[in-house]
Amino acid sequence: MRKRIKIIIPNTTSEFNESVYNLFNPLKASDTELDICNIKGEGALYLDQKYDEVWSELSLLKEAEQAEKDGFDGVIVYCALDPARMALREALQIPVVSIFETALHVTAMLGNHISLIAPPGSIASREEMFHQYHMEDQMTSVEFFNLGIENLAEDESSSYQIVKAAAQRALNKGADSLVLGCGAVMGIAKRLSEELGVPVVEPGPVALKYCEALIELGLHHSKVAFSLPRRHMP
Amino acid sequence: MRKRIKIIIPNTTSEFNESVYNLFNPLKASDTELDICNIKGEGALYLDQKYDEVWSELSLLKEAEQAEKDGFDGVIVYCALDPARMALREALQIPVVSIFETALHVTAMLGNHISLIAPPGSIASREEMFHQYHMEDQMTSVEFFNLGIENLAEDESSSYQIVKAAAQRALNKGADSLVLGCGAVMGIAKRLSEELGVPVVEPGPVALKYCEALIELGLHHSKVAFSLPRRHMP
Amino acid sequence: MRKRIKIIIPNTTSEFNESVYNLFNPLKASDTELDICNIKGEGALYLDQKYDEVWSELSLLKEAEQAEKDGFDGVIVYCALDPARMALREALQIPVVSIFETALHVTAMLGNHISLIAPPGSIASREEMFHQYHMEDQMTSVEFFNLGIENLAEDESSSYQIVKAAAQRALNKGADSLVLGCGAVMGIAKRLSEELGVPVVEPGPVALKYCEALIELGLHHSKVAFSLPRRHMP
Amino acid sequence: MRKRIKIIIPNTTSEFNESVYNLFNPLKASDTELDICNIKGEGALYLDQKYDEVWSELSLLKEAEQAEKDGFDGVIVYCALDPARMALREALQIPVVSIFETALHVTAMLGNHISLIAPPGSIASREEMFHQYHMEDQMTSVEFFNLGIENLAEDESSSYQIVKAAAQRALNKGADSLVLGCGAVMGIAKRLSEELGVPVVEPGPVALKYCEALIELGLHHSKVAFSLPRRHMP
Amino acid sequence: MRKRIKIIIPNTTSEFNESVYNLFNPLKASDTELDICNIKGEGALYLDQKYDEVWSELSLLKEAEQAEKDGFDGVIVYCALDPARMALREALQIPVVSIFETALHVTAMLGNHISLIAPPGSIASREEMFHQYHMEDQMTSVEFFNLGIENLAEDESSSYQIVKAAAQRALNKGADSLVLGCGAVMGIAKRLSEELGVPVVEPGPVALKYCEALIELGLHHSKVAFSLPRRHMP
Amino acid sequence: MRKRIKIIIPNTTSEFNESVYNLFNPLKASDTELDICNIKGEGALYLDQKYDEVWSELSLLKEAEQAEKDGFDGVIVYCALDPARMALREALQIPVVSIFETALHVTAMLGNHISLIAPPGSIASREEMFHQYHMEDQMTSVEFFNLGIENLAEDESSSYQIVKAAAQRALNKGADSLVLGCGAVMGIAKRLSEELGVPVVEPGPVALKYCEALIELGLHHSKVAFSLPRRHMP
């Protein structure tokens, strides 16, 4: 079954486009077609907190609405802050996959005490996400690693050790499973999991598999819960 | 103590500016100075649901940041959906008052079973607010009245009856206190309360008194919780 | 990537084996190999409540342990009561997918008010599952349809109407999304969803896609949470 | 609008009357009239825990009922244990403001992780208050400072340091906002807030502003929730 | 093992003393000695709500402290509002049994959906008790029967039917177990249970058995949680 | 009132039968008749985690059904993991007492912050029990002592110190009351309580008193909640 999926990176920079494509491409089903873009118009260069989300959400919303008009079967918002999640579900009828939400639900099926490992930002905005998804009872901690998104790629080996130290702090507090809270941290989940002995969930890949599953099974979000906008903007 | 308060209506229309001013003016302390505006640039004409919020939030954020630069002592966002609440608290250091949040906390001190009476919109976005403020245990119901914001002013007497019917449905479900969830429903709380025998909280006025109190007492939100944006946009 | 998945039906009857195989086969990835069996030894003919689970769980556990020894990459327990969920996770290191748990997490991403539509059984055992998965806040109701598992196949058209009537009761109580709580109710989700206008999640298919995803991404449950048995039985 | 407010200190000593008056007087609106008293008859000298509350509550209740008969527009109970809160709301129709309840709701709008800084007493009775107000999810800790109410005034500088040390312990545990849980700790909130970098809410002042607001807006607690006593005592 | 238990009825009337004694006497262990009294001094004639509790609590507290001095091994407070529960635990070291608390814990072990059947009073004060005992998730409803405590004994047959009608309303809402919330409703639990087909828990008897068990097993409440009053009143 | 109680130890070994009998015999009412057995057929030697439960539950269920047929008035399952709790309530109409459930409810009436002291096993299966009984809010921690059930009796003095060290860790985390989570730890609760200054609840004895009370008062679990199996196995 042909599945056309639009991946929207809600950053104004295109610097992640290629690496996200390279992350997703080997994981996609053979009959999945991926299209990737970042946002146009106003927006944040990188998204760390709610402030950045507000900058990017309208451009993201427009991009997603266009994707539905263009006949895509599903949309993945590639940012672990899940910007505009509810608005997108009101606006669209095709599945909209928020990557952190998906990752959190998967992690909750793998363990009971979840810590989020994330780049520096606002503690309130990160913890809010566990609350929003009714999983604060399962949250052990939010661990910020001391390295901005903009510096992650500079020295991969050193970056890995900084992320791992944050993960180790989480385990010391009782976490039994970890979720990575940054779309720019790619490809380290498996190594981290093996070295630490707990599951480590990277949001992008699980979101891709979940989006494919929704399309194949003909599932989409409830329009009774997320009703269409009463007044669509032009 | 002089208190300069900026009231921002996150709609692209200026049609509410005068009536909100007229609502607030007789209630303000004598040493309070009010300045009122609606948003410029992109935004929603009326705000009913998350989709509309995304349209208005960036313009609202810019307006609020300007208010802080202009030396205002506090900002009130006059919309019962509390758009951009967390982003505004990250961006600003002066108090930012979200009117529905304030109203909900006040209502929770007056009764135990709260219903929200609101114009039609998305059920998910309305219930989410109780959850966001950790008050879903105290929520009895969300009652939509069958009258769009845009038609509220047309026939005041008929509008009142439609709102009252929704309020009555809430009481039948066990609500013992009501909160109005629409900034465009003004000046009916007292009558409704007297006719129904339960407290009815209108968000605007309690938000004004709360904002004045914060300024007088030198209180503002925690910057440990809502840290400043790592990268301010221009 | 080759994925060998064992599907265990924890009933002593083999009457569902073929229909479950026919359900899964067209949905599986081309490189997935499915093996299906029901339990041997002591067990329940049909599983409606906790009593039946206790009858079937040990035989199920033995079957699952054998599957791991036989080199399978994952196990799906095909029963919407999720028998022996925690014991299986203690015993095994390969992913163990409980179909109702998976379905509930997926449904929680599609809507906010979930009802379970199930054949008659014990109300306590059904509601317990929402609680066990920390989703009782999102539970609207459990609706039993008045038709035993053993009679479901007798008259498909009449069975469908009986199930649909239960689903309609759920919507009347405010449900905005439905999950089917019986592995014997197969292939009606799409029709029900279309006729009722809300998502209807059938556990089997989402469990298959989830199991494939776990295997492909190298994820499995936390052995820190679910530690290996201190004393393995022979 | 003239607002006559009765402040009742539920202690048998009058030693706090003047300092509370001096705290409230500069903060009150120009048209607010304050009347302050402590309790007569049986009661506790100081209130640290539930035991003390039981000693003072009946005398407090009688004083409050008298205040309503005397035509006051509102009552503030000046004790951070909120004695007789529900009984007072049953007995009276004018607003009854419990100072800790108000402070807790305000603090919850300023931050997400609240610690209470209090003089020694019963841990159960202090934590119970967070639970009673449905805010235990937002409670980080109760920090007792090692100094009885009776000794607070002896050496203000040393007392301040002892309170501050308790506040610092709270921050180390993750608190992002503090509430003072003792009516005898007056006038240090601002200094503490500046030195620690988080909001510090002193209950008295916020209670005064809240009481004034209720009176001005014509709001009072729900008599559906808090029904009048079936048998008023003489 | 000799067990001396003091039963305190926190009413100023002695009219229940004999009937409570007659209720407890056949149920007590052979080596239990019962002493029963009502309160002296100020207090409520009957206790329906928080207002009445405040009237009776200090006299109750004094009586309980005297009982401990007199060498009793345990105290039972015979009133289903559980007056002064926390204060009594602070003041005393011997077990203090609050009858409704005990009944609620027992009921929670018998069923999952509990309704309280009670004489008219304040809805807030009744629901608060489920919340106080962390059992609001298990509360189905509070059903008031339309008959004051003072009239219960007038016509037993008619009273029974009125109570039963309230119980039936609870079952219609989904309750699967009932707890009686009035110490004056005695001796009807068994009949009600048989006629309705669900467990009906009467607080007095379970409290007696629980108090005996605590004494026999040498258990009493935690003085770390409920610390002794810092200043005992004379 | 004659009370015939069947105590079932769900282990395949009979090594605990005598010590449990010796524990219960001096505590039972004079008119209570105790009968004790361990399970026959398949089962676990010792029960530490969910895996072991699955091994023992069916044999336990059969034993309990036989007890009801044999005319016993109540069943006590002597294992602190409460195996087959819900299934037993579905299957039987006479009271079925799960010892840990009872102990947890009693502990919750004695303190507010409960820690479980248990032999090594699966953290998930132990914490799950607090969740299952809706008491996770009152859980401070699960403390495993480093000594298997099989070695407990070897050196009683050394075992006691190992258990006490675990209990002390719990107090350091804020526990104010403890519950022992192992039926093989007998007769140390009183000493532990005296040395640590907090209540320590041993499940067996409170379960015995509770079972006697249920029988005397004619109470049993709700068959509306736990409906009889639709199909009883032979």
Side-chain angles (χ1 to χ4, degrees):
Chain A
M1 182 184 182
R2 192 185 176 210
K3 297 173 282 287
R4 294 184 63 217
I5 298 177
K6 182 83 175 193
I7 300 154
I8 307 173
I9 303 179
N11 299 51
T12 53
T13 172
S14 64
E15 68 180 275
F16 299 117
N17 296 22
E18 190 180 334
S19 53
V20 173
Y21 186 83
N22 290 340
L23 172 71
F24 277 22
N25 199 46
L27 297 171
K28 76 175 186 59
S30 55
D31 48 7
T32 294
E33 297 171 25
L34 297 178
D35 194 79
I36 198 159
C37 71
N38 61 296
I39 56 169
K40 292 177 266 297
E42 282 189 307
L45 193 61
Y46 304 113
L47 282 81
D48 288 321
Q49 56 197 92
K50 289 284 176 185
Y51 176 86
D52 306 317
E53 286 187 67
V54 164
W55 272 88
S56 285
E57 286 179 334
L58 182 51
S59 298
L60 163 62
L61 180 59
K62 290 172 179 172
E63 205 73 55
E65 289 187 304
Q66 188 59 47
E68 187 170 49
K69 279 187 204 134
D70 291 347
F72 281 91
D73 300 305
V75 166
I76 296 175
V77 178
Y78 192 82
C79 170
L81 292 167
D82 292 354
R85 188 184 66 99
M86 292 179 71
L88 289 167
R89 293 181 182 200
E90 290 174 350
L92 305 195
Q93 295 191 285
I94 58 172
V96 182
V97 173
S98 300
I99 66 171
F100 184 72
E101 181 188 35
T102 312
L104 202 49
H105 277 278
V106 166
T107 313
M109 287 192 271
L110 300 177
N112 299 318
H113 298 285
I114 305 171
S115 280
L116 164 61
I117 313 301
S122 161
I123 181 75
S125 69
R126 290 293 187 170
E127 293 183 345
E128 172 70 13
M129 299 185 81
F130 283 83
H131 179 64
Q132 183 180 356
Y133 300 136
H134 298 263
M135 293 209 194
E136 55 193 343
D137 286 353
Q138 289 119 295
M139 182 184 86
T140 295
S141 64
V142 173
E143 304 293 338
F144 291 118
F145 51 82
N146 194 16
L147 191 71
I149 298 175
E150 62 277 20
N151 307 112
L152 270 170
E154 281 170 17
D155 176 347
E156 288 202 7
S157 166
S158 147
S159 293
Y160 177 80
Q161 292 306 327
I162 288 172
V163 172
K164 185 180 171 183
Q168 189 60 60
R169 287 198 303 276
L171 300 196
N172 295 345
K173 290 177 186 167
D176 59 30
S177 45
L178 305 175
V179 57
L180 298 178
C182 178
V185 178
M186 280 178 273
I188 66 165
K190 195 163 287 188
R191 181 177 165 199
L192 209 50
S193 177
E194 279 162 11
E195 292 182 14
L196 295 174
V198 295
V200 178
V201 177
E202 186 181 342
V206 296
L208 173 63
K209 303 320 287 180
Y210 175 58
C211 188
E212 288 178 340
L214 291 182
I215 296 169
E216 283 179 27
L217 303 175
L219 288 168
H220 49 74
H221 51 277
S222 173
K223 294 308 290 181
V224 171
F226 302 98
S227 54
L228 282 173
R230 297 185 69 234
R231 278 173 302 274
H232 261 285
M233 303 297 161
Chain B
M1 182 182 182
R2 192 185 176 210
K3 295 173 286 286
R4 294 184 62 216
I5 296 175
K6 182 83 177 191
I7 301 154
I8 308 173
I9 303 178
N11 300 51
T12 53
T13 173
S14 64
E15 70 180 274
F16 299 117
N17 295 21
E18 190 179 336
S19 52
V20 174
Y21 186 84
N22 290 340
L23 172 71
F24 276 22
N25 198 45
L27 295 171
K28 78 177 184 61
S30 56
D31 48 8
T32 293
E33 297 171 26
L34 297 178
D35 194 77
I36 197 159
C37 71
N38 60 296
I39 56 168
K40 289 177 269 296
E42 281 188 308
L45 192 62
Y46 304 113
L47 282 80
D48 288 320
Q49 56 198 94
K50 289 283 176 186
Y51 176 86
D52 306 317
E53 286 187 67
V54 163
W55 272 87
S56 285
E57 285 179 334
L58 182 52
S59 298
L60 163 62
L61 179 60
K62 291 172 178 171
E63 204 73 56
E65 289 188 304
Q66 187 59 45
E68 186 171 50
K69 280 187 203 134
D70 291 347
F72 281 91
D73 301 305
V75 166
I76 296 174
V77 178
Y78 193 82
C79 170
L81 291 167
D82 293 353
R85 188 184 66 97
M86 291 179 70
L88 289 166
R89 293 180 183 202
E90 290 174 350
L92 305 195
Q93 294 191 285
I94 58 172
V96 182
V97 172
S98 299
I99 67 172
F100 184 71
E101 180 187 36
T102 312
L104 201 50
H105 277 278
V106 166
T107 312
M109 289 192 271
L110 301 177
N112 299 318
H113 297 286
I114 304 172
S115 280
L116 164 61
I117 313 302
S122 160
I123 182 74
S125 69
R126 290 294 187 171
E127 292 184 345
E128 171 70 13
M129 300 186 80
F130 282 83
H131 180 63
Q132 183 180 356
Y133 300 138
H134 297 263
M135 293 209 194
E136 56 193 341
D137 285 352
Q138 289 119 294
M139 182 184 86
T140 295
S141 64
V142 173
E143 302 294 338
F144 291 118
F145 50 82
N146 194 15
L147 190 71
I149 299 175
E150 61 278 18
N151 307 113
L152 270 170
E154 280 171 17
D155 176 346
E156 287 200 8
S157 167
S158 149
S159 293
Y160 176 80
Q161 293 306 327
I162 288 172
V163 173
K164 185 180 171 183
Q168 189 60 59
R169 287 199 302 274
L171 300 196
N172 295 345
K173 290 177 188 168
D176 59 30
S177 44
L178 305 175
V179 57
L180 298 178
C182 177
V185 177
M186 280 179 273
I188 66 165
K190 195 162 283 189
R191 181 177 166 200
L192 208 51
S193 176
E194 280 163 10
E195 292 182 15
L196 295 173
V198 295
V200 179
V201 176
E202 186 182 343
V206 296
L208 173 62
K209 303 320 285 179
Y210 176 59
C211 188
E212 288 179 341
L214 290 182
I215 296 169
E216 284 180 25
L217 303 175
L219 288 169
H220 49 73
H221 51 277
S222 173
K223 294 307 288 180
V224 171
F226 302 98
S227 54
L228 282 173
R230 296 185 70 232
R231 280 172 301 273
H232 261 288
M233 304 296 161
Chain C
M1 182 184 182
R2 194 185 174 209
K3 297 173 285 284
R4 294 185 62 217
I5 297 177
K6 182 83 176 192
I7 301 155
I8 307 173
I9 303 179
N11 299 51
T12 54
T13 173
S14 64
E15 68 180 275
F16 300 116
N17 295 21
E18 190 181 336
S19 53
V20 174
Y21 186 83
N22 290 340
L23 173 70
F24 278 21
N25 199 46
L27 296 172
K28 77 176 185 61
S30 55
D31 47 8
T32 293
E33 297 170 26
L34 297 179
D35 194 78
I36 198 159
C37 71
N38 59 295
I39 57 170
K40 291 176 267 296
E42 281 189 309
L45 193 61
Y46 304 112
L47 284 80
D48 287 321
Q49 55 198 94
K50 289 282 176 186
Y51 176 86
D52 307 317
E53 287 186 67
V54 163
W55 271 88
S56 286
E57 285 178 334
L58 182 52
S59 298
L60 163 61
L61 179 60
K62 290 172 180 172
E63 204 71 58
E65 288 188 305
Q66 188 58 47
E68 188 172 47
K69 279 185 205 135
D70 290 347
F72 281 90
D73 301 306
V75 166
I76 296 174
V77 178
Y78 193 82
C79 170
L81 292 166
D82 292 353
R85 189 184 65 97
M86 291 179 71
L88 289 167
R89 294 181 182 200
E90 290 173 351
L92 305 195
Q93 294 191 285
I94 57 171
V96 182
V97 172
S98 300
I99 67 171
F100 185 71
E101 181 188 35
T102 313
L104 202 48
H105 277 278
V106 166
T107 313
M109 289 192 271
L110 300 178
N112 299 317
H113 297 286
I114 305 171
S115 280
L116 164 61
I117 313 301
S122 161
I123 181 76
S125 70
R126 290 293 186 172
E127 291 183 347
E128 172 70 13
M129 299 186 81
F130 283 84
H131 180 63
Q132 182 180 356
Y133 300 136
H134 298 264
M135 294 210 193
E136 56 193 340
D137 286 352
Q138 288 119 295
M139 182 184 86
T140 295
S141 65
V142 173
E143 304 293 339
F144 291 118
F145 50 82
N146 195 15
L147 190 71
I149 298 175
E150 61 277 20
N151 307 113
L152 271 170
E154 280 170 18
D155 176 345
E156 287 202 7
S157 166
S158 148
S159 293
Y160 177 80
Q161 292 306 327
I162 288 172
V163 173
K164 185 179 172 184
Q168 188 61 58
R169 288 199 302 275
L171 301 195
N172 296 345
K173 290 175 186 169
D176 59 30
S177 45
L178 306 175
V179 57
L180 298 178
C182 178
V185 178
M186 280 178 273
I188 65 166
K190 195 163 285 188
R191 180 176 167 200
L192 209 50
S193 176
E194 278 163 12
E195 292 182 15
L196 294 173
V198 295
V200 179
V201 177
E202 187 183 342
V206 296
L208 173 63
K209 303 319 287 179
Y210 175 59
C211 189
E212 290 178 339
L214 290 183
I215 296 168
E216 284 180 26
L217 303 176
L219 288 169
H220 49 74
H221 52 278
S222 173
K223 294 307 290 180
V224 172
F226 302 98
S227 53
L228 282 173
R230 296 186 70 234
R231 278 173 300 275
H232 261 286
M233 304 298 162
Chain D
M1 181 183 181
R2 194 185 175 209
K3 296 173 285 285
R4 294 184 62 217
I5 296 176
K6 182 83 175 190
I7 301 154
I8 307 174
I9 303 178
N11 300 50
T12 54
T13 173
S14 65
E15 69 180 274
F16 298 117
N17 296 21
E18 191 180 335
S19 52
V20 174
Y21 186 83
N22 290 341
L23 173 71
F24 277 22
N25 199 46
L27 295 172
K28 76 176 186 61
S30 55
D31 48 7
T32 293
E33 296 171 27
L34 298 179
D35 195 77
I36 197 159
C37 71
N38 60 297
I39 57 168
K40 290 177 268 295
E42 282 189 308
L45 193 61
Y46 304 112
L47 283 79
D48 287 322
Q49 55 198 96
K50 289 283 176 187
Y51 176 86
D52 306 317
E53 287 186 68
V54 163
W55 272 88
S56 285
E57 286 179 333
L58 182 52
S59 298
L60 163 62
L61 179 59
K62 290 172 178 170
E63 205 71 56
E65 289 187 304
Q66 188 58 46
E68 186 171 48
K69 280 187 203 132
D70 291 347
F72 281 90
D73 301 306
V75 166
I76 296 174
V77 179
Y78 192 82
C79 170
L81 291 166
D82 293 354
R85 188 183 67 97
M86 290 178 72
L88 289 166
R89 294 182 181 199
E90 289 174 351
L92 306 195
Q93 295 191 284
I94 58 172
V96 182
V97 172
S98 299
I99 67 171
F100 185 72
E101 181 188 33
T102 313
L104 201 49
H105 277 278
V106 166
T107 313
M109 289 191 271
L110 301 177
N112 299 319
H113 297 287
I114 304 173
S115 280
L116 164 61
I117 313 301
S122 160
I123 181 76
S125 69
R126 291 294 186 170
E127 292 183 346
E128 172 70 14
M129 299 185 80
F130 283 83
H131 180 63
Q132 183 180 355
Y133 300 137
H134 297 264
M135 293 207 194
E136 56 193 342
D137 285 352
Q138 289 119 297
M139 182 183 85
T140 295
S141 64
V142 173
E143 303 294 338
F144 291 119
F145 49 82
N146 194 14
L147 190 73
I149 298 176
E150 61 279 18
N151 307 113
L152 270 170
E154 280 171 18
D155 177 345
E156 287 201 8
S157 166
S158 147
S159 293
Y160 177 80
Q161 293 305 328
I162 289 171
V163 172
K164 185 179 171 184
Q168 188 61 58
R169 286 198 302 275
L171 300 197
N172 296 346
K173 290 177 187 166
D176 58 30
S177 45
L178 305 175
V179 57
L180 298 178
C182 178
V185 177
M186 279 178 274
I188 65 165
K190 194 163 287 188
R191 182 177 164 198
L192 209 50
S193 176
E194 280 163 9
E195 291 182 14
L196 294 173
V198 295
V200 179
V201 176
E202 187 183 341
V206 296
L208 173 62
K209 304 320 287 180
Y210 175 58
C211 188
E212 289 178 340
L214 290 183
I215 296 169
E216 283 180 26
L217 303 176
L219 289 169
H220 50 73
H221 52 277
S222 173
K223 294 307 289 180
V224 171
F226 303 99
S227 53
L228 281 173
R230 297 186 68 234
R231 280 171 301 274
H232 261 287
M233 303 298 160
Chain E
M1 183 183 180
R2 193 185 175 211
K3 296 173 285 286
R4 295 186 60 218
I5 296 177
K6 182 83 175 190
I7 301 154
I8 307 173
I9 303 179
N11 299 51
T12 54
T13 173
S14 65
E15 69 180 274
F16 299 117
N17 295 21
E18 191 180 334
S19 52
V20 173
Y21 185 83
N22 290 340
L23 173 70
F24 277 22
N25 198 46
L27 295 172
K28 77 176 185 60
S30 55
D31 49 7
T32 293
E33 297 171 27
L34 297 178
D35 195 78
I36 198 160
C37 72
N38 61 296
I39 57 169
K40 291 177 267 297
E42 281 188 308
L45 193 62
Y46 303 113
L47 283 81
D48 288 323
Q49 56 198 96
K50 289 282 175 187
Y51 176 87
D52 306 317
E53 286 187 68
V54 163
W55 271 88
S56 285
E57 285 179 332
L58 182 52
S59 298
L60 163 62
L61 179 60
K62 291 172 178 171
E63 205 72 56
E65 288 188 306
Q66 188 57 48
E68 186 172 50
K69 281 187 202 134
D70 291 347
F72 280 91
D73 300 306
V75 166
I76 296 175
V77 179
Y78 192 82
C79 170
L81 291 167
D82 293 353
R85 189 184 66 98
M86 290 178 72
L88 289 166
R89 294 181 182 200
E90 290 173 350
L92 306 194
Q93 294 191 285
I94 58 172
V96 183
V97 173
S98 300
I99 66 172
F100 184 71
E101 181 188 34
T102 313
L104 202 48
H105 277 278
V106 167
T107 313
M109 288 191 272
L110 301 177
N112 298 318
H113 297 286
I114 305 172
S115 280
L116 164 62
I117 313 300
S122 160
I123 181 75
S125 70
R126 290 294 187 171
E127 291 183 345
E128 172 69 14
M129 300 186 79
F130 282 85
H131 180 63
Q132 182 180 354
Y133 300 137
H134 298 264
M135 294 208 194
E136 55 193 342
D137 285 352
Q138 289 118 297
M139 183 184 85
T140 295
S141 64
V142 173
E143 302 293 338
F144 291 119
F145 49 83
N146 194 15
L147 191 71
I149 298 175
E150 61 278 18
N151 307 113
L152 270 171
E154 281 171 18
D155 177 345
E156 287 202 7
S157 166
S158 147
S159 293
Y160 177 80
Q161 293 306 328
I162 289 171
V163 172
K164 185 180 171 183
Q168 189 59 61
R169 286 200 302 275
L171 300 196
N172 296 345
K173 290 176 187 168
D176 58 31
S177 46
L178 305 175
V179 57
L180 298 178
C182 178
V185 178
M186 280 178 274
I188 65 167
K190 196 162 287 191
R191 181 177 167 200
L192 208 50
S193 175
E194 279 162 12
E195 292 182 14
L196 295 173
V198 295
V200 179
V201 177
E202 187 182 341
V206 296
L208 173 62
K209 303 321 285 179
Y210 175 58
C211 189
E212 289 179 340
L214 290 182
I215 296 169
E216 284 180 27
L217 303 176
L219 288 169
H220 49 75
H221 51 277
S222 173
K223 294 308 290 181
V224 171
F226 302 98
S227 54
L228 282 172
R230 297 185 69 234
R231 279 172 301 273
H232 262 286
M233 304 297 162
Chain F
M1 183 183 182
R2 193 185 177 210
K3 295 173 284 286
R4 294 184 63 217
I5 297 175
K6 182 82 175 192
I7 301 153
I8 308 172
I9 304 178
N11 300 50
T12 53
T13 173
S14 64
E15 68 179 274
F16 299 117
N17 294 22
E18 191 180 335
S19 52
V20 174
Y21 185 82
N22 291 341
L23 173 71
F24 277 22
N25 199 46
L27 295 171
K28 77 176 186 61
S30 55
D31 48 7
T32 293
E33 296 171 26
L34 298 178
D35 194 78
I36 197 159
C37 71
N38 60 296
I39 56 169
K40 290 177 269 296
E42 282 189 308
L45 193 62
Y46 304 112
L47 284 80
D48 288 320
Q49 55 198 95
K50 290 284 176 186
Y51 176 86
D52 306 317
E53 288 187 67
V54 163
W55 272 88
S56 285
E57 285 179 334
L58 181 52
S59 298
L60 163 61
L61 179 60
K62 290 173 179 172
E63 205 72 55
E65 289 188 305
Q66 188 58 48
E68 187 171 48
K69 280 187 204 134
D70 290 347
F72 282 90
D73 301 306
V75 166
I76 297 176
V77 178
Y78 192 82
C79 170
L81 291 167
D82 293 354
R85 190 184 65 97
M86 291 179 71
L88 289 166
R89 295 182 181 200
E90 290 173 351
L92 306 195
Q93 294 190 286
I94 59 171
V96 182
V97 172
S98 300
I99 67 171
F100 185 71
E101 180 187 36
T102 313
L104 201 48
H105 277 278
V106 167
T107 312
M109 289 193 270
L110 301 177
N112 299 317
H113 297 285
I114 304 172
S115 280
L116 165 61
I117 313 301
S122 160
I123 182 75
S125 70
R126 291 293 186 170
E127 291 183 347
E128 172 69 14
M129 299 185 81
F130 283 83
H131 180 63
Q132 182 179 356
Y133 300 137
H134 297 264
M135 294 208 193
E136 55 193 342
D137 286 352
Q138 288 119 295
M139 183 184 85
T140 295
S141 64
V142 172
E143 302 293 338
F144 291 118
F145 50 82
N146 194 15
L147 191 72
I149 298 176
E150 60 278 19
N151 307 113
L152 271 170
E154 280 170 18
D155 177 346
E156 287 201 8
S157 166
S158 147
S159 293
Y160 177 80
Q161 293 306 327
I162 288 172
V163 172
K164 185 179 171 184
Q168 189 60 60
R169 287 199 302 275
L171 301 196
N172 295 346
K173 290 178 187 167
D176 58 31
S177 45
L178 305 175
V179 58
L180 298 178
C182 178
V185 179
M186 279 179 275
I188 66 165
K190 195 163 286 188
R191 180 176 166 200
L192 209 50
S193 177
E194 280 162 11
E195 291 182 15
L196 294 174
V198 296
V200 178
V201 177
E202 186 183 342
V206 297
L208 173 62
K209 303 320 286 180
Y210 175 59
C211 188
E212 290 179 339
L214 290 183
I215 296 169
E216 284 179 27
L217 303 175
L219 288 168
H220 49 73
H221 52 277
S222 173
K223 294 309 288 182
V224 172
F226 303 98
S227 54
L228 282 172
R230 297 185 70 234
R231 279 172 301 273
H232 261 287
M233 303 298 160

